[in-house]
Amino acid sequence: MGDIPHAPPPRPGPADGDGGPAHKGAPAHDSGPAHDGGPAHEEARANGEARDADEGLARGGLGHDEGRARDKAQAHDEARAHDEGRAHDEARAHDEGRAHDEECAHDGGMARDAHVDRLLLGAATSTQAHVCVLFVLAEDGRVLMMEAESGLPEPFSRSWVLIRSTDQSPVAVAVRQRRLVWVPDRETMAREFPLVALAFPYGFALAVAPLVGRDGEVRGAMMLLWPPAPARRPTGHQLDVLTAACADLAEIVPRGNRPVPPGHQPRVLTREPPGGEDLLLTCLNRLPEGYCMLDVEGRLTLVTAPAEELLQAEAGELTGKRPWDVLPWLGEPAYEDRYRAAVVSQEVTYFTTRNPGGQWLAFHLYPGLAGVTMRVTPSTMARDPRPVMPDQLVTTDRPPRLVALHEMLHLATTLARAVTAQEVINLVADHVMPAYHVQALAILTSRGGRMQVAASRGYSEQAIEEYDGQPLLHLSPGHPLAAGAPAFFGTWAELRATYPEAIRSDDMSAWAFLPLTAGGRTAGMCILAYDRPHRFTTDERASLTALSGLIAQAFERARLYDVKHQFAQSLQSSLLPRTLPGVPGLEVVARYLPATPGMDIGGDFYDLIRLEEKVAAAVIGDVQGHDVTAAALMGQVRTAIHAHASAGANPGEVLAHTNRLLSELAPDRFTSCLYISVDLGRSMACVASAGHLPALLRRPGEPAQVVEAAPGLLLGIEPGTEYATTQLALPPGSVLALYTDGLIEVPGRDLGEAIGGLAAGFAPAPEQPLADVAEDMIAAAAAVEHRADDIAMLLLRTGRA
């Protein structure tokens, strides 16, 4: 046991740097003898101290490295903590800065909105407008977005929240044309903006001015409404205020490149009602009539005690609600419509109805800037409604105005498909005559100083003849057909007294004369006739005036189409051969059938070229496209083929030369062509084809067959194309049929089957005139009501001089 202290000390590992349990635990069971003292004890202690010194030295050498590592780690941790702290501080500062910026931006946005609202309301107050609206451009100028408004009923505001900048509406026109748009009354709106007049059939004057910044960029528009002002322009003061307000707003509102926010709603600006409501209510309660106040949204803000009694409802049930929402017996749409008419037009409106107790009540609505005052009085409606209601809302012999409005809106969409005057009149007659109980309708135009009936429905032939051809010079300047303004006559006596030269046809008794004006040009007149006296209400006059605008636009489109179509057909006809040359021993018949009106023109052509006394060339083809360009190119193809054939080229060479020419003239247009040279002396034919349908051949005593010529590319695709030829025997009495695709093509039918079917039915009798054969072949196609393609056909029979 005494040798243990002299053993060499163990080399500590990294985990033993502090001596550890290994140095204390090993001699623990020998501690007893060590307490005996003496030299052994001293020696052991000395050895232990030496060992401890050695271990200390060993620990000292390793501890220096570990301390340095610990110092580096501590420094790294402190640096990282410092960086993280600094990053945290910077992030917090950034967030606080961003929040501050957003708060400032929000405050700036609120300040901008407040400034805009003050300018808008200030302009309305200064000009005495009862409605003001601000529109700003958005979506890169494609949309006009309602930014703020005051005085518009909610249904109007909802309909005008977003307006396409390409629309035909006062706001869009003002922005597009960068000018003031002034609409003084309902009739002007119906003439210039018929769709707007139909959607908002109320009387009001309207001014829209664009917001143009100093940089010349349009930012939006401001719209103001006043009561109707027929035959009046805005005053100088109103124009000055409007111009100044628009200039100020243009420098505040943002540019038009921002998107429309989802669910965007404009700011609704309110005008404070006059004070002293308690005193006012006390005064009104003393009166026998009932009085109610409604805001511009139609909500009741005040109900007097007499009104409670007449309406049979308490004020607490009504305040804050719309009367037609809370009182079922006022739920008829026509009653709410009278309120809207009062707000928008700022004119007094009326209606009568019965309360649940059966008592007739007359409602008079008096509009103001902050809403409407409604007076409710017992009515004599049961005995005589005229004193309280000048225009009946609903009558027994006419559908409600809302039904007529639906018909007008539906008509507006269907008229877009009309391409001829008769189609226009048919659509108008189908929609208007039932809605307004019209018995006859006609569209009149002028030509050479005389009236011309362009289309009609319901008039007799005699009546049409009476109008047709009447000199316009004999009409007085104020006559409806010469004045260019709508005119309404409820009886024959009214019309006769105003215009003694007027014509009465088919015993009609009332008339509406509606000028068809579009784009500043009066294209004609629409006449609506009734078989009994008729009272035209204000609503009806406005609706019919708007109708004339719709008809005018559709009729002008139809007229332009007719002119274009007639010009193209005339061009095409002039390019086709007027007569075919006579060739002894060859009978020839040609037919051409244009596409029906409403379809584009085609480029089908045919020709017969006399080359020698007994040699002729039959040609048929189809130029790609259905327009004037196709018709003009068709003439160039015919000329080229004629020139090369007359120069002595064979069928393949004729097509090759023409192909090179077309590749230069019209590289984006292709042409199919079939060229057959007929040599009567040799009873032979030579055929060359450039992608055209095959000819049919009927030899005497044989069934008809399809002539299989060598296929070739369409003309105009590849300039260096060569065309092969095919020889064909043509004994006397043979019949050849050349045709274009319009004769056989049917959607969904295989082209090969169509050609085979045509060949199976091609069986001309030897003595049957070719003209009759041609009529039989083309009859089915001619009977098609809407023919999308034109048809050309050329028949030849040999052996008959």
Side-chain angles (χ1 to χ4, degrees):
M1 296 291 292
D3 294 336
I4 295 178
H6 298 282
R11 192 172 185 86
D16 301 328
D18 56 355
H23 305 289
K24 296 179 181 179
H29 62 284
D30 293 336
S31 59
H35 294 288
D36 294 341
H41 174 70
E42 294 296 331
E43 184 181 0
R45 184 173 64 183
N47 291 335
E49 290 175 354
R51 183 179 61 194
D52 290 342
D54 292 340
E55 291 176 354
L57 289 173
R59 284 199 304 271
L62 293 175
H64 175 71
D65 294 337
E66 291 174 353
R68 184 169 58 186
R70 281 197 302 269
D71 291 342
K72 290 182 178 179
Q74 183 178 4
H76 175 73
D77 293 341
E78 290 175 355
R80 183 172 61 184
H82 175 71
D83 292 342
E84 290 177 350
R86 184 172 60 184
H88 174 72
D89 293 340
E90 291 176 352
R92 181 171 63 185
H94 175 72
D95 292 341
E96 290 175 353
R98 184 174 59 185
H100 176 70
D101 292 342
E102 290 176 350
E103 182 177 357
C104 291
H106 177 69
D107 293 342
M110 292 182 62
R112 180 191 69 84
D113 292 346
H115 191 188
V116 167
D117 297 347
R118 285 194 300 270
L119 287 173
L120 189 62
L121 289 175
T125 301
S126 181
T127 60
Q128 298 182 337
H130 61 276
V131 172
C132 56
V133 187
L134 174 65
F135 293 92
V136 296
L137 282 168
E139 300 289 350
D140 294 325
R142 296 191 301 271
V143 174
L144 281 157
M145 178 174 65
M146 186 184 294
E147 180 84 359
E149 62 89 4
S150 176
L152 270 184
E154 191 270 336
F156 282 61
S157 175
R158 186 173 61 246
S159 300
W160 281 351
V161 167
L162 298 176
I163 299 175
R164 290 193 302 270
S165 57
T166 56
D167 282 354
Q168 187 61 23
S169 66
V171 178
V173 169
V175 169
R176 283 201 310 272
Q177 300 181 5
R178 303 165 68 96
R179 66 175 178 87
L180 173 73
V181 173
W182 169 251
V183 181
D185 52 29
R186 191 173 178 181
E187 285 70 24
T188 305
M189 180 69 80
R191 287 196 302 270
E192 298 184 6
F193 305 99
L195 290 178
V196 177
L198 289 174
F200 305 102
Y202 309 109
F204 54 84
L206 173 148
V208 186
L211 310 182
V212 183
R214 292 192 183 97
D215 56 0
E217 181 180 352
V218 179
R219 305 289 178 83
M222 183 168 70
M223 180 175 72
L224 300 177
L225 268 67
W226 297 271
R232 183 178 73 80
R233 298 286 297 174
T235 66
H237 171 71
Q238 289 173 332
L239 289 177
D240 291 342
V241 171
L242 190 58
T243 301
C246 288
D248 291 340
L249 288 169
E251 301 305 318
I252 302 174
V253 300
R255 295 178 179 272
N257 55 1
R258 60 174 173 165
V260 176
H264 168 73
Q265 292 298 325
R267 297 190 304 279
V268 179
L269 314 181
T270 58
R271 305 186 190 186
E272 294 297 328
E277 291 187 2
D278 292 340
L279 178 63
L280 174 64
L281 183 60
T282 301
C283 295
L284 292 177
N285 281 337
R286 297 173 183 156
L287 301 176
E289 305 96 2
Y291 288 90
C292 304
M293 289 183 62
L294 297 87
D295 62 19
V296 293
E297 301 298 330
R299 291 182 291 265
L300 287 159
T301 59
L302 182 146
V303 181
T304 66
E308 289 181 283
E309 182 178 352
L310 292 171
L311 298 176
Q312 298 185 356
E314 296 183 0
E317 303 173 5
L318 301 173
T319 304
K321 301 179 178 64
R322 297 178 176 89
W324 36 87
D325 291 339
V326 71
L327 300 174
W329 52 280
L330 287 180
E332 176 67 38
Y335 303 146
E336 181 183 0
D337 183 72
R338 293 292 86 192
Y339 160 77
R340 294 176 184 170
V343 171
V344 176
S345 68
Q346 291 291 289
E347 294 183 320
V348 179
T349 59
Y350 315 82
F351 69 87
T352 61
T353 188
R354 284 190 291 188
N355 63 18
Q359 182 183 21
W360 281 99
L361 303 177
F363 292 77
H364 296 65
L365 288 81
Y366 301 90
L369 293 178
V372 171
T373 298
M374 182 170 66
R375 185 179 70 175
V376 186
T377 58
S379 173
T380 59
M381 178 73 180
R383 297 190 300 273
D384 185 5
R386 286 173 296 180
V388 296
M389 191 173 164
D391 286 345
Q392 299 181 30
L393 296 178
V394 180
T395 63
T396 57
D397 63 343
R398 191 180 312 144
R401 184 179 58 81
L402 294 178
V403 175
L405 176 60
H406 169 76
E407 290 294 333
M408 292 298 103
L409 293 177
H410 185 52
L411 174 63
T413 60
T414 56
L415 279 177
R417 301 193 301 267
V419 295
T420 66
Q422 191 59 52
E423 288 183 10
V424 171
I425 204 74
N426 289 342
L427 288 171
V428 172
D430 292 342
H431 289 80
V432 175
M433 294 178 72
Y436 289 94
H437 283 195
V438 175
Q439 278 68 50
L441 186 151
I443 291 182
L444 305 183
T445 59
S446 63
R447 177 177 295 178
R450 294 180 178 272
M451 285 190 294
Q452 183 179 21
V453 180
S456 67
R457 171 78 72 85
Y459 273 115
S460 65
E461 290 292 335
Q462 180 181 355
I464 294 175
E465 292 175 359
E466 290 174 350
Y467 278 109
D468 209 19
Q470 181 180 357
L472 292 175
L473 296 177
H474 294 169
L475 301 179
S476 63
H479 192 280
L481 298 178
F488 303 90
F489 302 96
T491 64
W492 165 243
E494 289 181 18
L495 179 62
R496 184 76 177 185
T498 308
Y499 305 109
E501 72 275 16
I503 299 174
R504 186 178 189 181
S505 302
D506 295 344
D507 293 326
M508 295 295 170
S509 300
W511 297 263
F513 295 90
L514 309 174
L516 304 181
T517 303
R521 176 182 177 276
T522 300
M525 176 75 66
C526 179
I527 300 178
L528 307 180
Y530 302 77
D531 62 357
R532 64 187 65 184
H534 182 88
R535 185 169 70 90
F536 294 95
T537 66
T538 302
D539 286 338
E540 196 172 13
R541 290 170 185 252
S543 296
L544 291 176
T545 302
L547 166 69
S548 69
L550 294 177
I551 299 175
Q553 293 175 6
F555 191 72
E556 183 67 6
R557 287 196 304 269
R559 187 189 68 82
L560 292 175
Y561 171 81
D562 286 341
V563 170
K564 176 183 175 182
H565 191 75
Q566 290 173 6
F567 168 74
Q569 285 194 341
S570 175
L571 172 63
Q572 188 176 39
S573 298
S574 66
L575 295 175
L576 291 173
R578 290 185 174 86
T579 59
L580 296 176
V583 178
L586 186 65
E587 182 182 1
V588 183
V589 169
R591 291 289 183 269
Y592 177 78
L593 197 63
T596 53
M599 304 297 178
D600 292 329
I601 66 168
D604 290 8
F605 65 94
Y606 63 88
D607 203 353
L608 183 71
I609 308 169
R610 184 171 179 176
L611 302 176
E612 299 177 10
E613 183 178 356
K614 290 191 175 184
V615 179
V619 185
I620 198 161
D622 187 0
V623 177
Q624 178 195 19
H626 294 79
D627 51 22
V628 175
T629 302
L633 186 58
M634 174 263 288
Q636 293 175 313
V637 173
R638 277 194 61 232
T639 301
I641 291 175
H642 207 287
H644 293 303
S646 300
N650 66 44
E653 293 171 342
V654 169
L655 294 185
H657 293 318
T658 305
N659 174 60
R660 283 193 288 272
L661 177 64
L662 286 184
S663 299
E664 298 174 0
L665 290 177
D668 58 339
R669 297 278 181 142
F670 309 136
T671 302
S672 70
C673 184
L674 181 64
Y675 185 102
I676 302 180
S677 174
V678 178
D679 189 336
L680 298 176
R682 298 174 53 236
S683 297
M684 294 293 294
C686 184
V687 183
S689 176
H692 196 79
L693 300 177
L696 302 182
L697 173 61
R698 170 70 185 272
R699 295 188 179 99
E702 298 180 10
Q705 67 182 70
V706 177
V707 178
E708 300 293 348
L713 284 177
L714 295 169
L715 302 178
I717 294 181
E718 178 57 48
T721 302
E722 299 294 332
Y723 294 89
T725 58
T726 301
Q727 298 294 323
L728 195 66
L730 278 185
S734 298
V735 180
L736 274 170
L738 291 71
Y739 54 93
T740 57
D741 53 2
L743 182 66
I744 60 170
E745 278 190 346
V746 176
R749 186 182 183 187
D750 179 74
L751 185 60
E753 293 181 0
I755 295 173
L758 183 65
F762 184 59
E767 301 300 325
Q768 184 181 10
L770 274 189
D772 294 346
V773 176
E775 294 300 328
D776 291 343
M777 293 181 67
I778 210 168
V784 175
E785 183 176 1
H786 295 286
R787 191 170 48 258
D789 199 1
D790 54 346
I791 300 171
M793 185 171 62
L794 190 63
L795 301 182
L796 302 91
R797 179 154 50 192
T798 64
R800 299 182 63 180

